[in-house]
Amino acid sequence: MISETQIHTIARQMLEKHGLQAIAQAAQNALACERKGETEEAREWRHVEDAMKIMRGPHQS
């Protein structure tokens, strides 16, 4: 299991490297893990996805 600190580090690095596309990539990674039955890995990718959404901030209208 990945620590909360590691989740946020991964999320920040992905956002820096891929921009907002990183959120979609994390979601795709989670879905791929779910399809393979890798529930813990999928849960971690969902956690990374959620952390990136928080870092991104609220939507602008």
Side-chain angles (χ1 to χ4, degrees):
M1 181 172 194
I2 297 177
S3 73
E4 193 69 25
T5 302
Q6 289 172 312
I7 291 287
H8 286 275
T9 299
I10 292 166
R12 186 177 29 74
Q13 289 173 344
M14 286 183 71
L15 279 173
E16 288 173 0
K17 185 173 181 179
H18 301 289
L20 295 180
Q21 288 287 28
I23 296 171
Q25 183 62 49
Q28 289 174 348
N29 291 347
L31 188 58
C33 289
E34 288 166 354
R35 287 182 178 149
K36 292 187 274 184
E38 299 170 347
T39 56
E40 184 61 33
E41 291 87 352
R43 190 178 353 251
E44 290 170 351
W45 278 115
R46 295 287 180 203
H47 200 153
V48 170
E49 178 186 5
D50 290 341
M52 284 190 279
K53 287 178 181 176
I54 291 168
M55 291 174 187
R56 172 192 65 189
H59 288 294
Q60 299 289 323
S61 55

